[in-house]
Amino acid sequence: MQFMLLFSRQGKLRLQKWYVPLSDKEKKKITRELVQTVLARKPKMCSFLEWRDLKVVYKRYASLYFCCAIEDQDNELITLEIIHRYVELLDKYFGSVCELDIIFNFEKAYFILDEFLLGGEAQETSKKNVLKAIEQADLLQETKEQKVKLSILH
Amino acid sequence: MSPGTAMIRAIRSARTQCEERGVIQRECAAIRAQFRQADNGGRSHNLAKLLYVHMLGYPAHFGQMECVRMIASPRYSEKRVGYLGAMMLLDEKQDASLLITNSIKNDLSHSNQYVQSLALCTLACMGSAEMCRDLAPEIDRLLRASNSYIKKKAALCAVHIVRKVHDLGELFAPAARSLLAEKNHGVLHGAVVLIIELCERNPETLERFRKTVPDLVQIMKGLVLSGYSPEHDVAGISDPFLQVRILRLLRILGHNNEGASDAMNDLLAQVATNTDSTKTVGNAVLYETVLTVLDIKSESGLRVLAVNILGRFLLNNDRNIRYIAMTSLQKIVGTDHNAVQRHRGTIVDCLKDQDASVKRRALELSLALVSASNVRSMMKELLLFLSSCPAELKAHAASGIFNAAERYAPSQRWHIDTILHVLTTAGGDVRDETVPNLIQLITNASELHCYTVHKLYRALLTDISQQSLVQVACWCIGEYGDLLLRGECQETEAVQVHADDVLDALETVLQSHITRITDNVDRIRSIVSIYGSCIDVELQQRAVEYNALFKKYDHMRAAVLERMPVIEKNSPGHTNGESAGEAIKDIQPAKIKQGEPLLPPQPANQVHYIDTDA
């Protein structure tokens, strides 16, 4: 995966994860154009489109669009499943998630994404394991004993 | 209320862009002040606020150094936000990114796996080539000796490293090999992704990994035949993500290799037959299976099975499935032509789909499937499509039809009819180069000149808005006008065409290239002389030339205006000569560009349930 964007129906960006090195200017341009392209599509249209030299897979969940740009040899249908898995993870974590949750807790949305995908590829295929890891990491953040000793493993 | 929440609320309550900018400016000033202060326990919140501001599109580069500082902090909460900030604000082009290399190196060996995880994630997301070279040995170590949680991340980190620094692939190959023996799905998945990356980059590595085909087949079998496994189950499919990856690796290993392809044949047949295709997830696995079958040296039976799956996809209610089916069929229409032909009917039906991308795919495939045996029926469908297809596809459809007609026309008359049909339906979208080709075709069909000119004349009477139609029609009337006036024609009903009517028609087209009509010379001459003072230079020139022909050189008129010889296809001066019905200037219909509307803004009704319609 090259990047993932989450945006509202007004085109407001709610999350952007880039797995390819691009300048801020390029990212803004791509985001603006792609968001426009996706928002212009009618409800019953295909979830896939060819945009520039990329394959784009998108799906709308309530007021949010989840949009991924994948490589030529990637499987579009499994990408839809990846998007769906991410939504399920958010839903489980926030309890019936809505756009507001992602706005006010955007770092959490990123942390969850980073436990599910790494470098643009799925790292964990078990929903349970992803949620467990997030839970543990959250606990770690919360503990009073926040000073974690630096030690070197052998 | 956390400070972050308060800020976000403040930003959202701004009613104008200007107001929002004001809020942002104030907040950023506060954040900057906080950065400068000593550690006050709220550092992570500050950085988080800045990241939110950055996501709205405002500059946040002053936070880069704070990210570096936070990453080096001993507190997990600060590391977490620091690394997130690094992934958002730093990229490999920034100098600041080098400063975090050391922190990453330390954190890769941290005693707490969640800290290690942060480092791995960041490295895999934005690690530069230099950082990758520096830290590759660490990653290799983690690939061999750590728990599953870390191993799966290390594997994907290695993938990123190999993408950045190709020759480091060699370093990871041995570890990747041994990871295939792991039971943990996350690790297996990462291992397969890594092996795919290594094989795609290095043919020697690919050779070595071919030996793993039996192991991969075993793993797949386990997934496909295993009972219900709640942890990895998605709608009855056991770990579809892993299945799809393994299928892709098998594809790479089986490509152009008989032995490897044989070893996976049975498994592929099993997956193709047993996978439940009622949901997207099953179809995702089937799709990958089909791609693999078609790209390796598979048995013909298996190939037919694969194409049939694509055929079933074409009938699926889900538009997405139809779309990818056609994409795949397009790839094999050359090599497995007969197999694809069997699904021609369904493909042609997709021409009527609502979605423009599906239509485009269907058009491409349909054109590729036209053959001598089906040309009549296919052309009927294609012409029907042409009359209602979206504007952006018209030109492509028209030229596709012309090409197909030229290759497979069962008769000259059919060919001419087809051309006329296209000209009347989409004459405005026909590419300019096709007009001379068409004229050449018409001149070659000498028995049909009478028929052709009659039909073209009639078409001209009904509609002069299609440029190429008018061009071809006028040329033909110019060349075969005498046949037109003769009234009789074998192929069409006998209609008395009067010279006056023809002149009216041509006059209507602002053009006066009549050469065959011998009566009414005076009327012709008067029309022509009008154009002798026409503003348009070309028309004026021609008018003057013809006038001269009438006056001074009247005795030569008959000879000069003899019938044009049949045009050879590649002869020079292919553009029509003297008596040609040259360009009608600008009778193109106005093409209105519709601005595509964005969705209308909805009131901010935020309490939505995620609708999980898979």
Side-chain angles (χ1 to χ4, degrees):
Chain A
M1 192 184 295
Q2 295 214 356
F3 58 83
M4 182 191 281
L5 302 174
L6 263 69
F7 51 91
S8 70
R9 278 150 78 182
Q10 288 79 36
K12 280 224 127 93
L13 206 56
R14 298 302 179 204
L15 185 147
Q16 50 172 336
K17 190 77 189 181
W18 298 85
Y19 296 108
V20 288
L22 290 166
S23 71
D24 241 7
K25 199 163 145 209
E26 288 167 302
K27 286 181 192 170
K28 282 210 172 94
K29 182 157 188 267
I30 290 174
T31 304
R32 190 176 49 238
E33 287 175 18
L34 186 52
V35 167
Q36 228 173 16
T37 308
V38 172
L39 288 178
R41 287 173 70 87
K42 306 196 192 70
K44 292 282 183 192
M45 285 174 94
C46 212
S47 294
F48 315 131
L49 57 115
E50 277 129 36
W51 185 79
R52 298 196 182 180
D53 55 342
L54 292 169
K55 292 206 288 200
V56 171
V57 179
Y58 74 95
K59 191 162 161 124
R60 184 169 80 77
Y61 287 85
S63 59
L64 272 183
Y65 282 87
F66 288 69
C67 185
C68 301
I70 58 176
E71 317 273 347
D72 212 36
Q73 59 272 48
D74 288 334
N75 181 324
E76 294 96 320
L77 294 178
I78 207 76
T79 307
L80 276 176
E81 290 300 314
I82 296 234
I83 290 175
H84 191 71
R85 174 56 64 89
Y86 182 44
V87 172
E88 284 180 322
L89 290 167
L90 290 169
D91 194 53
K92 221 24 200 268
Y93 183 83
F94 286 109
S96 211
V97 67
C98 65
E99 190 184 342
L100 271 180
D101 292 317
I102 297 178
I103 294 170
F104 283 97
N105 300 283
F106 69 97
E107 336 88 85
K108 292 281 161 62
Y110 276 102
F111 295 151
I112 294 169
L113 185 62
D114 286 342
E115 272 306 322
F116 176 41
L117 302 179
L118 201 99
E121 310 282 351
Q123 60 178 287
E124 179 55 69
T125 57
S126 151
K127 223 188 309 188
K128 190 179 87 184
N129 287 351
V130 176
L131 292 166
K132 210 164 45 172
I134 293 287
E135 203 183 317
Q136 292 296 320
D138 281 350
L139 261 172
L140 187 61
Q141 190 167 323
E142 247 121 278
T143 52
K144 293 230 160 105
E145 235 6 78
Q146 287 227 4
K147 275 218 189 269
V148 184
K149 264 165 56 184
L150 273 168
S151 67
I152 312 292
L153 274 174
H154 293 297
Chain B
M1 192 188 295
S2 81
T5 310
M7 179 195 79
I8 295 173
R9 285 242 169 93
I11 294 172
R12 285 165 61 79
S13 56
R15 272 160 300 181
T16 63
Q17 186 72 1
C18 190
E19 218 180 300
E20 182 181 282
R21 255 183 302 216
V23 176
I24 301 279
Q25 260 169 16
R26 278 197 305 279
E27 291 287 345
C28 282
I31 292 169
R32 243 189 286 237
Q34 296 274 18
F35 283 170
R36 284 194 286 266
Q37 277 185 14
D39 181 5
N40 52 16
R43 282 166 69 194
S44 54
H45 292 298
N46 269 321
L47 186 54
K49 278 157 77 173
L50 183 59
L51 295 180
Y52 183 82
V53 165
H54 175 252
M55 192 156 55
L56 291 178
Y58 295 92
H61 37 263
F62 61 87
Q64 286 174 2
M65 283 317 292
E66 187 67 8
C67 293
V68 177
R69 273 193 289 270
M70 300 267 277
I71 286 172
S73 155
R75 292 201 187 114
Y76 179 71
S77 56
E78 292 181 357
K79 272 191 197 292
R80 216 183 185 191
V81 181
Y83 273 116
L84 179 63
M87 286 189 273
M88 286 173 78
L89 302 180
L90 299 175
D91 58 57
E92 57 180 46
K93 298 187 182 121
Q94 317 272 10
D95 292 330
S97 67
L98 286 175
L99 297 173
I100 63 173
T101 311
N102 213 43
S103 292
I104 294 182
K105 194 181 207 143
N106 288 335
D107 285 339
L108 283 175
S109 329
H110 203 278
S111 56
N112 188 301
Q113 64 179 13
Y114 298 106
V115 175
Q116 285 179 295
S117 165
L118 293 174
L120 285 163
C121 184
T122 307
L123 181 59
C125 181
M126 48 77 75
S128 65
E130 215 177 304
M131 286 162 76
C132 288
R133 258 190 221 105
D134 211 348
L135 299 167
E138 266 304 296
I139 303 300
D140 187 49
R141 195 179 58 75
L142 290 173
L143 271 179
R144 297 164 189 282
S146 56
N147 61 27
S148 314
Y149 181 72
I150 295 298
K151 265 189 192 159
K152 73 185 187 200
K153 294 176 191 262
L156 293 177
C157 212
V159 171
H160 175 82
I161 291 175
V162 172
R163 285 177 183 161
K164 281 282 180 219
V165 186
H166 304 333
D167 18 281
L168 282 173
E170 274 314 291
L171 170 66
F172 297 120
R177 178 76 181 83
S178 33
L179 284 177
L180 279 182
E182 300 261 342
K183 292 282 167 254
N184 179 291
H185 282 224
V187 177
L188 267 176
H189 186 272
V192 174
V193 177
L194 178 55
I195 296 172
I196 289 174
E197 195 66 36
L198 297 177
C199 291
E200 277 179 343
R201 297 207 180 266
N202 190 326
E204 280 169 18
T205 315
L206 202 163
E207 279 299 324
R208 293 209 303 268
F209 272 104
R210 258 209 200 99
K211 302 188 206 99
T212 64
V213 170
D215 299 321
L216 293 166
V217 169
Q218 270 307 107
I219 298 171
M220 267 303 278
K221 272 212 177 93
L223 292 171
V224 173
L225 299 173
S226 68
Y228 177 71
S229 152
E231 200 175 327
H232 297 109
D233 181 275
V234 181
I237 314 269
S238 184
D239 206 337
F241 304 105
L242 182 56
Q243 286 198 30
V244 165
R245 283 303 174 165
I246 294 178
L247 286 165
R248 167 118 155 242
L249 178 52
L250 287 174
R251 177 152 85 244
I252 293 169
L253 297 175
H255 182 71
N256 264 334
N257 186 295
E258 294 268 357
S261 300
D262 281 340
M264 57 181 84
N265 202 80
D266 286 346
L267 168 75
L268 293 172
Q270 214 164 30
V271 179
T273 355
N274 291 339
T275 306
D276 176 20
S277 58
T278 50
K279 292 258 170 83
T280 306
V281 64
N283 287 324
V285 174
L286 281 172
Y287 177 42
E288 197 75 29
T289 311
V290 166
L291 289 178
T292 299
V293 168
L294 295 175
D295 204 34
I296 62 170
K297 295 216 176 278
S298 44
E299 278 174 16
S300 60
L302 189 57
R303 266 187 113 76
V304 169
L305 182 57
V307 178
N308 285 345
I309 290 177
L310 291 179
R312 270 200 340 256
F313 278 2
L314 282 177
L315 297 166
N316 197 304
N317 281 328
D318 187 339
R319 185 169 277 127
N320 291 335
I321 309 281
R322 294 205 295 275
Y323 179 86
I324 54 136
M326 285 195 282
T327 313
S328 314
L329 287 169
Q330 187 74 44
K331 290 193 194 129
I332 58 164
V333 74
T335 50
D336 297 74
H337 191 89
N338 291 333
V340 182
Q341 278 285 5
R342 256 175 250 143
H343 302 283
R344 194 177 68 242
T346 326
I347 292 168
V348 164
D349 281 340
C350 289
L351 285 170
K352 306 184 185 104
D353 197 297
Q354 302 272 356
D355 186 323
S357 355
V358 172
K359 271 191 161 83
R360 180 180 283 124
R361 288 264 178 269
L363 174 63
E364 287 293 341
L365 263 178
S366 301
L367 288 173
L369 289 176
V370 178
S371 71
S373 50
N374 63 32
V375 66
R376 282 187 196 267
S377 54
M378 283 298 276
M379 210 46 91
K380 241 190 238 143
E381 298 287 352
L382 287 167
L383 288 172
L384 195 61
F385 172 72
L386 186 65
S387 54
S388 60
C389 80
E392 66 268 17
L393 290 178
K394 272 212 155 98
H396 187 65
S399 51
I401 290 173
F402 283 145
N403 288 335
E406 198 171 317
R407 284 180 74 185
Y408 301 110
S411 74
Q412 277 187 325
R413 176 166 160 189
W414 179 94
H415 196 171
I416 302 250
D417 279 339
T418 306
I419 292 171
L420 292 180
H421 198 135
V422 175
L423 289 178
T424 46
T425 328
D429 295 286
V430 167
R431 296 191 185 118
D432 288 337
E433 319 82 71
T434 48
V435 171
N437 287 338
L438 295 177
I439 291 184
Q440 187 256 323
L441 212 85
I442 291 169
T443 56
N444 268 314
S446 33
E447 322 80 68
L448 292 168
H449 288 167
C450 182
Y451 172 73
T452 310
V453 74
H454 269 273
K455 288 210 86 166
L456 279 169
Y457 172 67
R458 225 160 292 170
L460 194 65
L461 286 179
T462 29
D463 179 17
I464 58 162
S465 67
Q466 314 258 34
Q467 177 168 320
S468 8
L469 173 64
V470 175
Q471 276 178 276
V472 177
C474 290
W475 191 92
C476 284
I477 294 172
E479 268 303 291
Y480 311 122
D482 53 338
L483 298 175
L484 182 63
L485 291 178
R486 215 179 284 157
E488 260 172 43
C489 190
Q490 271 183 316
E491 315 262 356
T492 67
E493 326 112 47
V495 163
Q496 197 54 20
V497 179
H498 296 289
D500 269 331
D501 301 327
V502 179
L503 288 178
D504 283 339
L506 293 174
E507 234 188 322
T508 323
V509 184
L510 299 175
Q511 209 253 72
S512 51
H513 289 258
I514 310 147
T515 59
R516 295 285 161 224
I517 298 157
T518 45
D519 316 313
N520 288 341
V521 168
D522 290 324
R523 182 167 170 194
I524 295 170
R525 221 191 285 178
S526 63
I527 295 172
V528 168
S529 46
I530 292 171
Y531 284 92
S533 47
C534 177
I535 287 177
D536 187 285
V537 173
E538 190 168 333
L539 287 177
Q540 186 186 73
Q541 180 186 342
R542 300 218 177 239
V544 169
E545 284 168 5
Y546 283 122
N547 238 345
L549 206 54
F550 277 125
K551 293 185 181 143
K552 264 174 90 172
Y553 305 100
D554 208 23
H555 54 284
M556 285 171 67
R557 184 157 57 92
V560 171
L561 300 176
E562 247 186 46
R563 228 192 251 312
M564 289 274 287
V566 172
I567 305 169
E568 289 299 317
K569 193 121 199 193
N570 289 313
S571 62
H574 193 184
T575 53
N576 308 316
E578 279 306 310
S579 73
E582 276 292 341
I584 318 307
K585 306 267 169 202
D586 300 303
I587 305 192
Q588 272 193 28
K591 289 209 170 84
I592 307 157
K593 270 219 162 67
Q594 302 274 353
E596 280 180 300
L598 295 179
L599 288 176
Q602 296 279 318
N605 179 14
Q606 302 289 4
V607 184
H608 287 292
Y609 287 90
I610 290 284
D611 83 62
T612 51
D613 49 329

